[in-house]
Amino acid sequence: IRLNDKFGYTPTQGHQVWDWQEALAQHTDAGYVGTGQLTVTYLTDAHLACARQIQADMLAAGCDSATIDAVGNVVGRYESDSYPRTSDERQSPISSKTLLTGSHYDTVRNGGKYDGRLGIYVPLACVQALKAEGKRLPYALEVVAFAEEEGQRYKATFLGSGALTGDFDPAWLDQTDADGISMRDAMAKAGLDVNAIGAIRRNPADYQGFVEVHIEQGPVLNALDIPLGVVTSINASVRYVGEITGMASHAGTTPMGQRRDAAAAVAELILLVEHCAAQDGDSVGTVGQLQVPNGSINVVPGRCTFSLDLRAPSDAQRDALEAKILTGLRLICERRGLHHSLTRTMQASAAPSASAWQQRWEAAVTALGVPLHRMPSGAGHDAMKLHTILPQAMLFVRGLNSGISHNPLESTTSDDMQLAVDAFRHLLHQLAHA
Ligand code: HGY
Ligand code: MN
Ligand code: MN
Ligand code: MN
């Protein structure tokens, strides 16, 4: 089946053999619950349905265990060949030097079905193949479906992978969503034990490294007509939410020169971001959200809230862009007699791939006869969080439709996804014989 024809085929129920691509397609059905759009935000019903589906898929693929941890990550393990078989030895510690892999299962609102979850199902396809061949690796493979990467419902980007690296911020618990529900309450409702979050932290000494497969989310591989790409570094990023306040006034009687229009200031900010990022050439800047709270058609906006997302290949370039934008915002507000407040909600350093792991992906891609293309990642990924405790490298899979992403048009082909599985299997095999 070509997954992007998903809606053209009816999954056969009661499949004897677990078909990973079908599972990926069916799994996303859970994410459409209620809205008809794929919106899997943290701890919503769709999110919990997806977690249960992934847990079932991990076991169907052949994982020895699949558990949901205290922040909602779904953790599947395929134990090493040194793993004791008898049940009473099941409590043995993690076999030395587990290989960690995975990606996130939350989505942006009305997102695509491959962003994140492709990096969960490709390793599960490898587990399935190993199980079918009755093979074990000399190391355990731990596949984690991270619960929250996008920071949609709460401003808690990389919450899932951050719990593994010890970066869960307890302040997140008191954040409330658009309906005023705190993360703490959402966790309690989902049956998650807030007190067990600390235990999620991984000891880096137990792991050899982290690898992540992800759809490219950009046009490069599509334009080159190459199915796989090896990531050299993940761009540095910083995110803010802000508010500009001026004075609401009558749209008909307030002369243009006497307005304190908050939305006009944000409009100026957007053009400044566009100009400064474009000037760098390889920086990007986005104001993705802009709201006039309680705005009216005939009222000059007295308040305007907005988001800001700035990224660049290096921390220094990101910082320079950030400084320009923050200074520009201050000058815009001074000139217009407005006040502004900004809260930084995320900052992530550039995450260069560990050369040994990048080379493993390069060897795998080359072994398949796929032309080797090295490339930076403009998108952020859980790998940049794991980067803080483990050596990491990523493999990109070509997207269709010029790699559009964070959009229902996001798609790839069965063949390209299978190539990613073949590359991953090659990496696992090479590691087993290293
Ligand atoms: O925004 C990003 O770069 C990622 O998709 N979370
Ligand atoms: Mn994303
Ligand atoms: Mn992603
Ligand atoms: Mn061999």
Side-chain angles (χ1 to χ4, degrees):
I1 44 151
R2 293 181 64 80
L3 207 62
N4 40 35
D5 302 345
K6 173 185 175 296
F7 296 102
Y9 88 99
T10 46
T12 45
Q13 298 309 327
H15 240 282
Q16 296 312 315
V17 175
W18 180 73
D19 177 325
W20 73 275
Q21 295 206 18
E22 188 171 305
L24 173 51
Q26 284 187 338
H27 153 75
T28 49
D29 288 342
Y32 289 86
V33 162
T35 63
Q37 296 176 345
L38 184 61
T39 299
V40 184
T41 51
Y42 192 49
L43 300 184
T44 55
D45 292 347
H47 188 269
L48 299 172
C50 285
R52 283 190 293 274
Q53 180 68 48
I54 292 170
Q55 189 178 26
D57 284 337
M58 285 178 170
L59 295 171
C63 288
D64 297 294
S65 60
T67 53
I68 298 178
D69 71 16
V71 296
N73 295 325
V74 191
V75 183
R77 281 178 59 86
Y78 188 66
E79 300 299 346
S80 69
D81 61 4
S82 53
Y83 184 69
R85 296 271 183 275
T86 53
S87 58
D88 62 351
E89 290 170 302
R90 286 240 175 268
Q91 306 315 319
S92 74
I94 285 180
S95 59
S96 67
K97 300 301 177 203
T98 298
L99 176 62
L100 188 63
T101 186
S103 193
H104 60 99
Y105 68 93
D106 66 312
T107 70
V108 295
R109 292 179 181 84
N110 196 17
K113 53 178 175 287
Y114 301 94
D115 175 6
R117 41 178 67 68
L118 187 59
I120 298 163
Y121 281 80
V122 164
L124 290 182
C126 297
V127 168
Q128 179 189 31
L130 287 164
K131 182 87 177 177
E133 292 159 11
K135 278 188 190 153
R136 292 267 170 187
L137 299 161
Y139 52 85
L141 179 63
E142 187 170 313
V143 186
V144 184
F146 297 110
E148 164 63 42
E149 187 264 3
E150 301 282 5
Q152 298 289 299
R153 181 177 180 186
Y154 299 101
K155 299 293 174 228
T157 313
F158 301 129
L159 180 151
S161 43
L164 272 75
T165 59
D167 293 314
F168 182 90
D169 181 353
W172 288 336
L173 292 169
D174 299 320
Q175 273 194 31
T176 52
D177 69 1
D179 302 323
I181 300 169
S182 72
M183 185 187 285
R184 188 189 309 278
D185 289 351
M187 284 181 155
K189 183 166 173 271
L192 299 178
D193 174 6
V194 169
N195 300 314
I197 292 175
I200 296 173
R201 182 173 197 155
R202 294 304 198 271
N203 176 354
D206 291 339
Y207 295 86
Q208 339 185 12
F210 178 74
V211 287
E212 180 173 1
V213 175
H214 203 288
I215 193 161
E216 178 201 342
Q217 298 184 293
V220 172
L221 292 174
N222 202 274
L224 293 169
D225 195 21
I226 295 179
L228 303 175
V230 178
V231 175
T232 52
S233 177
I234 305 170
N235 281 0
S237 55
V238 65
R239 292 183 187 176
Y240 285 89
V241 289
E243 174 164 347
I244 292 181
T245 45
M247 181 68 72
S249 59
H250 196 296
T253 58
T254 313
M256 294 312 286
Q258 294 174 30
R259 294 177 174 216
R260 293 175 59 205
D261 184 333
V266 176
E268 243 193 289
L269 173 70
I270 293 170
L271 294 177
L272 177 72
V273 167
E274 212 177 31
H275 172 75
C276 295
Q279 240 181 357
D280 284 350
D282 52 3
S283 297
V284 288
T286 315
V287 174
Q289 291 171 312
L290 181 156
Q291 262 120 14
V292 177
N294 307 319
S296 304
I297 191 167
N298 58 351
V299 177
V300 175
R303 281 178 61 212
C304 191
T305 60
F306 61 92
S307 64
L308 185 59
D309 177 321
L310 303 173
R311 311 190 195 194
S314 71
D315 291 20
Q317 189 175 318
R318 176 207 58 204
D319 295 346
L321 177 62
E322 182 182 11
K324 262 190 228 167
I325 299 302
L326 299 192
T327 304
L329 174 59
R330 188 170 46 75
L331 295 175
I332 290 168
C333 291
E334 277 171 13
R335 177 166 32 85
R336 289 172 172 268
L338 306 175
H339 296 284
H340 72 282
S341 67
L342 267 179
T343 308
R344 192 165 76 185
T345 57
M346 184 272 265
Q347 184 190 53
S349 289
S353 298
S355 54
W357 291 94
Q358 181 179 321
Q359 283 155 23
R360 290 188 177 109
W361 279 130
E362 292 179 1
V365 163
T366 309
L368 299 181
V370 170
L372 176 56
H373 183 71
R374 301 181 181 96
M375 58 193 291
S377 172
H381 299 289
D382 289 303
M384 62 201 310
K385 184 52 79 176
L386 274 303
H387 179 82
T388 61
I389 64 164
L390 290 172
Q392 60 78 22
M394 292 184 73
L395 179 72
F396 271 171
V397 181
R398 167 176 53 186
L400 293 179
N401 309 323
S402 298
I404 191 166
S405 180
H406 284 185
N407 180 307
L409 290 174
E410 179 186 281
S411 74
T412 180
T413 64
S414 300
D415 302 346
D416 287 357
M417 292 195 287
Q418 188 53 48
L419 271 175
V421 173
D422 298 342
F424 206 123
R425 294 200 64 196
H426 186 277
L427 179 140
L428 294 174
H429 187 82
Q430 293 296 70
L431 213 50
H433 294 265

